Amino acid sequence: MRSIEETINALKNGEYDNKLTYLYSCDKNDVKKYSDRYIDVINGFEETFGKDGDIALFSAPGRTEIGGNHTDHQHGCVLAGSVNLDVISAARPNGTNTVRIQSRNYPLDVIELDSLEIREKEFDKAISLIRGVIKKFVDLGYDVKGFDAYTTSNVLKGSGLSSSAAFEVLVGTIINGLFANNEVNPIEIAKFGQFAENVYYNKPSGLMDQMASSVGSVVAIDFKSTEEPIVEKVEFDLKKHNHALCIIDSGADHADLTDEYATIPSDMKAVAGFFGKKFLREVDENEFMANIKNIRAKLNNDRAVLRAIHFFNDNKRAQEEVKALKNDDFELFKQLVKKSGQSSYMYLQNVFATSMPKNQAVSLTLALCDEILGDKGAYRVHGGGFAGTVQAFVPLDMLDEFKTLLLSASPKKCLPAIFLNLYARPPFSLLVIPSKDFLQQSYLLVYN
């Protein structure tokens, strides 16, 4: 750790340029804007908490789900990747029993370390995520002390890039660095984040978002055992196949749709419960198909049956997508992506909220992707669904037309395209050198 002045000087003098060039997969000519961003977060820290004391800098990335839509919470398989939009922080121990985290443009979160119980009044609030992550470290026996942290994020809230998971992983990475000698591995930090989100934040979710952020890279993850998930790096060269990955913001906010999301694991678990199981991964697919009539009669919930059909098929598709990429069969990969999107639309039914049937921005975005790309690209709902974003794999020679036509259909003023990178890196402190290689670029389209 270094003083604020020393850290700023090191950033200005280019001491961290190689790390930042690697981390953000940027040209050295562009590295200044990233170092300036860290200087900005340091300045925010100093204004909030004062200048005295050494600091460390931390980062945790957002993620993009590539395959396996709502399969993780049923212990299924997914394909996901970290991106170069991240939550960053300056932090230091404060010598007290109080944790203070100031996220830019949000109220200061203050937690007393002798008060880590679940609080219902904190459901759906960031402070609950902080409290839950701290609790897991304490339960492991780590002597977590008070600290101050200032954070800022360019992982767009409501974008489907998992800003909440990135924040959870960031908090875990800070505590791991300041008080646990970086002894807790990324998989465990991901589990801490999921625990905080499920139990303290009161939002049912799987482990994919936190795992993709915490582990980094483009990874295939098998959650058959959530205690020991199988994580495998997958080489994914979009440039070779002359495609761009676009994450398209439909313009609809999914921040208040927790109840809609909750129906998906609830429905799937209801079907698993018919067979005396907790998760659909434990159910034999053939036995499920043979008992559809009986399931319908007992549950009186056809949507649950459809969602179970989606799980069985998309769980297999995620694995097939990995095989296609390993075999360098990009056309098959795109076909599988489209089938996944069709299944999410028809069976999983997470493209719009039933409580707001006239608001179908995701459905419309998917329709426009179909009209523009036809059979030349691939597209699907991205992440949790109901609102938020769509993912599309677009041929580079169609990219300008694709962006123009999509943006012209938006009723809102649009921002220019922002470059994203799918890349291999874990969350980190600038005092730790990342060790993995850059993979490839993608794009993000943003509606203001």
Side-chain angles (χ1 to χ4, degrees):
M1 296 174 66
R2 287 178 163 180
S3 71
I4 284 177
E5 183 178 0
E6 289 172 333
T7 307
I8 289 176
N9 286 337
L11 286 162
K12 287 182 175 179
N13 294 335
E15 186 173 332
Y16 294 132
D17 281 5
N18 287 338
K19 294 179 183 179
L20 293 172
T21 299
Y22 163 76
L23 184 67
Y24 295 102
S25 301
C26 65
D27 188 277
K28 286 195 174 183
N29 295 326
D30 295 327
V31 75
K32 184 178 183 299
K33 68 181 181 181
Y34 294 105
S35 60
D36 285 347
R37 184 164 173 250
Y38 281 92
I39 291 171
D40 178 58
V41 85
I42 293 170
N43 289 334
F45 180 93
E46 181 179 350
E47 292 171 5
T48 306
F49 302 112
K51 189 171 185 177
D52 295 338
D54 293 347
I55 61 168
L57 301 178
F58 299 88
S59 160
R63 72 94 185 100
T64 180
E65 172 200 287
I66 301 169
N69 194 211
H70 280 280
T71 54
D72 57 331
H73 51 70
Q74 297 302 302
H75 292 201
C77 298
V78 301
L79 179 64
S82 57
V83 298
N84 69 338
L85 298 179
D86 57 354
V87 189
I88 65 172
S89 176
R92 70 174 175 219
N94 60 26
T96 74
N97 199 45
T98 303
V99 171
R100 300 184 298 176
I101 297 183
Q102 177 68 68
S103 297
R104 178 168 292 170
N105 299 323
Y106 289 91
L108 177 70
D109 289 318
V110 179
I111 293 175
E112 300 298 330
L113 290 172
D114 57 1
S115 181
L116 297 178
E117 71 279 358
I118 299 168
R119 300 184 177 190
E120 290 188 12
K121 67 180 182 180
E122 292 180 353
F123 286 172
D124 296 325
K125 295 180 174 60
I127 191 171
S128 66
L129 301 175
I130 302 167
R131 199 182 300 275
V133 172
I134 294 172
K135 182 67 164 59
K136 293 300 288 186
F137 275 93
V138 171
D139 286 349
L140 274 183
Y142 287 101
D143 187 18
V144 179
K145 300 292 188 182
F147 66 92
D148 296 329
Y150 185 92
T151 81
T152 184
S153 175
N154 60 10
V155 184
L156 304 171
K157 188 175 177 61
S159 67
L161 295 171
S162 293
S163 57
S164 60
F167 181 75
E168 295 155 18
V169 169
L170 178 76
V171 173
T173 303
I174 291 172
I175 298 171
N176 199 31
L178 296 183
F179 305 109
N181 299 311
N182 290 309
E183 294 172 356
V184 180
N185 68 49
I187 291 176
E188 290 303 309
I189 288 178
K191 292 178 185 177
F192 294 178
Q194 185 202 24
F195 167 82
E197 189 161 318
N198 290 175
V199 178
Y200 277 68
Y201 191 83
N202 196 38
K203 179 179 179 180
S205 69
L207 188 54
M208 177 187 66
D209 296 352
Q210 294 85 357
M211 190 72 76
S213 177
S214 187
V215 173
S217 184
V218 174
V219 289
I221 310 171
D222 186 337
F223 290 113
K224 186 173 184 178
S225 168
T226 55
E227 292 302 312
E228 296 182 5
I230 299 170
V231 183
E232 178 187 7
K233 178 181 174 181
V234 179
E235 298 296 338
F236 190 3
D237 191 350
L238 276 173
K239 287 183 177 179
K240 175 181 177 181
H241 298 285
N242 297 311
H243 276 68
L245 169 60
C246 297
I247 305 298
I248 307 140
D249 188 344
S250 68
D253 185 7
H254 66 192
D256 298 321
L257 295 172
T258 298
D259 290 345
E260 292 280 359
Y261 298 126
T263 65
I264 295 179
S266 176
D267 281 352
M268 290 183 177
K269 287 182 178 180
V271 174
F274 175 88
F275 297 95
K277 307 295 184 181
K278 291 184 66 177
F279 304 101
L280 282 177
R281 183 67 179 272
E282 301 169 345
V283 176
D284 180 85
E285 183 181 1
N286 292 327
E287 189 177 355
F288 161 75
M289 294 300 295
N291 277 277
I292 286 179
K293 177 180 178 180
N294 298 328
I295 298 169
R296 293 180 69 194
K298 182 174 181 179
L299 299 184
N300 193 28
N301 185 352
D302 289 342
R303 185 183 66 182
V305 176
L306 289 166
R307 285 173 164 172
I309 292 172
H310 166 83
F311 168 81
F312 286 116
N313 289 332
D314 226 40
N315 188 55
K316 289 182 289 187
R317 268 190 293 267
Q319 299 169 72
E320 291 167 0
E321 287 173 4
V322 173
K323 291 179 183 178
L325 292 176
K326 287 181 176 180
N327 293 331
D328 202 28
D329 191 342
F330 193 68
E331 290 304 311
L332 174 59
F333 169 78
K334 287 196 298 181
Q335 292 175 23
L336 292 167
V337 168
K338 288 185 71 172
K339 287 181 179 179
S340 174
Q342 291 163 355
S343 179
S344 292
Y345 206 141
M346 294 171 60
Y347 305 144
L348 187 61
Q349 300 178 28
N350 67 332
V351 294
F352 69 92
T354 55
S355 58
M356 297 178 285
K358 292 185 178 180
N359 298 332
Q360 298 201 31
V362 172
S363 306
L364 180 56
T365 302
L366 288 167
L368 292 171
C369 288
D370 185 46
E371 290 294 321
I372 298 167
L373 295 176
D375 60 0
K376 295 181 180 179
Y379 42 88
R380 60 194 283 274
V381 63
H382 180 244
F386 298 108
T389 55
V390 167
Q391 181 184 78
F393 292 88
V394 182
L396 292 178
D397 60 5
M398 296 183 68
L399 186 59
D400 288 340
E401 175 191 11
F402 181 77
K403 290 191 291 186
T404 298
L405 292 174
L406 268 182
L407 296 177
S408 68
S410 171
K412 303 179 181 180
K413 183 179 179 181
C414 302
L415 295 174
I418 298 175
F419 286 93
L420 257 181
N421 290 313
L422 263 174
Y423 66 113
R425 64 90 146 177
F428 85 121
S429 160
L430 271 179
L431 304 178
V432 179
I433 301 176
S435 61
K436 295 183 179 180
D437 297 324
F438 160 70
L439 293 181
Q440 74 283 313
Q441 283 192 324
S442 60
Y443 294 82
L444 173 66
L445 298 179
V446 182
Y447 292 174
N448 192 9

